[in-house]
Structures are given as C-alpha cells and as structure tokens.
Amino acid sequence: MRAVSLDVLSFLPAPLQSHLRVVLGATPGHILTAVDGWDAFTDALRRGTSDVVVVDPCADGVSHAAALAALLDSHPATPVVIYTPVSPLAFRAIAELGRHSAHQAVHQIVLHRYDDEPHRFLELLERQPGNALSGALLDRLAPALNDLPPALARAVERLVRQPTDFHDVTGLATSARITVRTAYRHLAIAGFASPRSLLVGARLLRAYAYARDPRQSLEAIAAKVGYSAPRMMAKHMREVIGVTPRAVRRQVRPGEFVDRLAQWLCPMPVPSLPLAPPTVVRFADRAADWDRTTPRLADGAPPAPEPVTVPLASAHDIPWPDRPHLPRPA
C-alpha cells in the first residue's frame, strides 16, 4: 500500500470524471471530491484544502477560462491540472488561460484519450504538490548528484519528488540496488550530509509545499508527508530551517527555503586557509650585522644574501679526535 495520499478536487464532464475515478481508485488512500457546476467548483476551491485540482474549463459546455484564470491567480499555491477533450472550444479556452497569465493552468495539460493512460496520469497527479520546489532543489544538488552512480542518483531524485515512497535508508538503497553501506559511502564521497538527512529534507520540502496554503493544518500536513506526529515535523523544521512550521509560512520565501535546505543536505566544503610564509631563522650573532648593513627593499624586507662559497678543507687539516680504534684517513 502506497503511503502517499491525495485530496483531489475535480470539475469535469461525465466521461472524463469516470476515467479520473478509475485512475485514483487504483490506489487506496486517494480522495476525490467531484462537483457538478462551476459555482460549486469555485466554492469548493475557496474553502477546501485540496492537494490537486483537476478541471476542464469547458466542463459544462461554456468556457470559463477568464474566471478560472482569476481564480487560480488568487490561489497560486494550489496545483492545477487541465484535463480536457480535444475540441476547438477546449483549445480556445487554454489559449485564453495563457493570455490571462494563469501560468499554473498551462503547465500541466492532459488530453482525454491521448495522454491519460491511468498509470501515467496517476504519477502526474502525485507529482503535483511541491513539483516546482522539487525541481529547484534538484537543480541546486545537481553537482553532487553528478558524482553519484546513476542508479543512486535516480533514487535520490525519486526520493525528492516522492518522499512518502521511502520510509528509511534501506528503501533508498533498495531503490538503487545497492547495500546501505554502499549508499552511505557514495553519498559521503559526493558531499551529502547523510542518507538520513536526505529523507528528512525531502519530507520537509513537501511539508513546506503544503504549508504555503494557510488552509492546511499542521496535523494534516504532518500526516501527508509521513510523520507520525506534528511535533517531530516541527523538530526537524527547526533543526534544518531554523524556524517552526507555523513561522515558515510567514517568514521564509520558496527560494530561501530551497537554499537553506540544499546547504543542509550538501554542506559546502570549508575553504582551506592559506599557508603562512615560512619563517626565516638566522644566527643570532649575524642577524644584527645583517640588519644594520644591508639595504632594504621597497616593502621593507631585506634582499636575499649573496651565496657564500666555503672551500673544502683537506682531511689532514681537520682535527682528528682521540679515537685509537679509528684509523686516521690517509
């Protein structure tokens, strides 16, 4: 049984609504709230806590593109998927959504009977909460991910995009088809703090995506991202970001959140300090004479002394110690 669960709000014509029920019904835990009219849809969107909205702007035969654009602009944190049949009216509505700058609406478009195969459609819906944030975090981690074996890099990417699919480090290692010990070694070499930090960070990223909607309670958010209790989520949020989940809604912008999380997951190496110049040691009885008689350079340092040639003495000129057992050199 999958851990992820979605609350989906939909406004669709009957054939598309039936297919969406099949898509979501294959996975226990997903909840679908289907509405029949435009007014009911707008009311449900404004007062609800849906994770994903699936809507056909022409579900009742009339284009609601302009009204949908305004509605989506007032709920920028709500992921939206446009699900529509192929028709001139639908394409005109999509074009009108683009003109009204409803960028959320035109990013995910699913055409009925063309790209709504159940398994792929379900994966698309489950990726929506936090999808943009996940992409931003993976971009920040790209240099370290490139240093991982391909299978482990794909497992980490999947973890970031679907944190509820992984319950522990063993699940991450199994996804990459390596041992836990090997996963620890490769992640450490690439610069990651630890596999455990990746699990925590992926959950916090998804929690932040939900928390951007003030209608979401902390209890519901904690349950959705896999925490057994909100206090554990709050503890991790303070540990990683420095503020509580309640404060993160008001104080931390998305880009700042991703930056802090990336730094915690993959700390930047501390630059090494430059080595001090070697200390020049001079004989005490010569230092004073050298300092008094030698001219200084512009920066105050004395020039290097001229090399001194010392003639080698003959072995017979060197006093030989009184060592009867050692023969004197010829």
Side-chain angles (χ1 to χ4, degrees):
M1 179 175 178
R2 296 166 63 96
V4 65
S5 63
L6 292 176
D7 294 332
V8 181
L9 172 65
S10 67
F11 174 49
L12 300 168
L16 280 66
Q17 188 66 62
S18 298
H19 186 70
L20 182 60
R21 290 186 186 277
V22 172
V23 170
L24 295 174
T27 302
H30 293 328
I31 301 173
L32 175 61
T33 302
V35 296
D36 296 328
W38 175 256
D39 292 338
F41 170 71
T42 57
D43 290 342
L45 180 59
R46 286 168 178 162
R47 71 170 183 268
T49 58
S50 302
D51 298 321
V52 182
V53 172
V54 183
V55 58
D56 178 4
C58 308
D60 54 3
V62 179
S63 176
H64 298 281
L68 179 60
L71 189 62
L72 297 182
D73 285 343
S74 64
H75 295 77
T78 302
V80 177
V81 174
I82 301 297
Y83 183 31
T84 184
V86 177
S87 68
L89 181 62
F91 288 159
R92 285 196 296 268
I94 293 172
E96 189 173 0
L97 282 171
R99 288 196 299 270
H100 284 83
S101 300
H103 60 277
Q104 301 94 336
V106 297
H107 276 182
Q108 301 292 347
I109 300 174
V110 177
L111 299 178
H112 182 47
R113 294 184 177 176
Y114 283 86
D115 47 10
D116 59 350
E117 186 273 327
H119 180 72
R120 188 169 66 176
F121 197 0
L122 180 61
E123 287 186 344
L124 172 69
L125 294 175
E126 291 179 344
R127 285 200 309 266
Q128 293 312 301
N131 193 39
L133 290 172
S134 298
L137 180 61
L138 290 172
D139 287 343
R140 286 291 311 273
L141 299 178
L145 290 173
N146 291 336
D147 291 335
L148 295 176
L152 182 55
R154 289 193 297 269
V156 172
E157 180 176 353
R158 182 181 164 211
L159 168 63
V160 172
R161 295 191 182 279
Q162 288 295 333
T164 50
D165 286 354
F166 297 84
H167 300 289
D168 49 30
V169 178
T170 302
L172 179 65
T174 301
S175 179
R177 298 183 178 181
I178 57 178
T179 64
V180 172
R181 183 176 181 179
T182 302
Y184 269 90
R185 185 175 71 251
H186 284 303
L187 290 170
I189 293 173
F192 287 97
S194 69
R196 179 250 179 197
S197 67
L198 284 170
L199 293 169
V200 171
R203 289 185 180 185
L204 292 181
L205 183 70
R206 184 56 53 89
Y208 176 75
Y210 288 133
R212 295 184 65 198
D213 187 343
R215 299 167 298 178
Q216 298 269 13
S217 68
L218 297 182
E219 290 76 13
I221 293 173
K224 286 178 180 180
V225 299
Y227 282 104
S228 59
R231 61 180 177 81
M232 185 58 65
M233 182 180 71
K235 176 184 176 182
H236 287 166
M237 191 71 78
R238 288 194 300 269
E239 175 187 346
V240 178
I241 307 301
V243 296
T244 64
R246 296 186 186 279
V248 79
R249 286 172 158 167
R250 306 184 304 270
Q251 300 177 8
V252 184
R253 304 289 297 171
E256 182 183 0
F257 187 93
V258 171
D259 288 343
R260 292 188 192 181
L261 185 57
Q263 179 64 26
W264 185 75
L265 291 174
C266 192
M268 297 296 292
V270 178
S272 59
L273 296 176
L275 295 176
T279 303
V280 178
V281 180
R282 295 175 294 183
F283 292 106
D285 60 338
R286 298 292 298 169
D289 295 339
W290 174 257
D291 290 340
R292 286 196 303 268
T293 60
T294 305
R296 296 277 176 169
L297 299 179
D299 59 358
E306 293 293 333
V308 178
T309 302
V310 179
L312 294 177
S314 170
H316 290 278
D317 297 331
I318 300 175
W320 191 249
D322 185 14
R323 298 289 189 269
H325 60 282
L326 295 178
R328 183 176 181 86

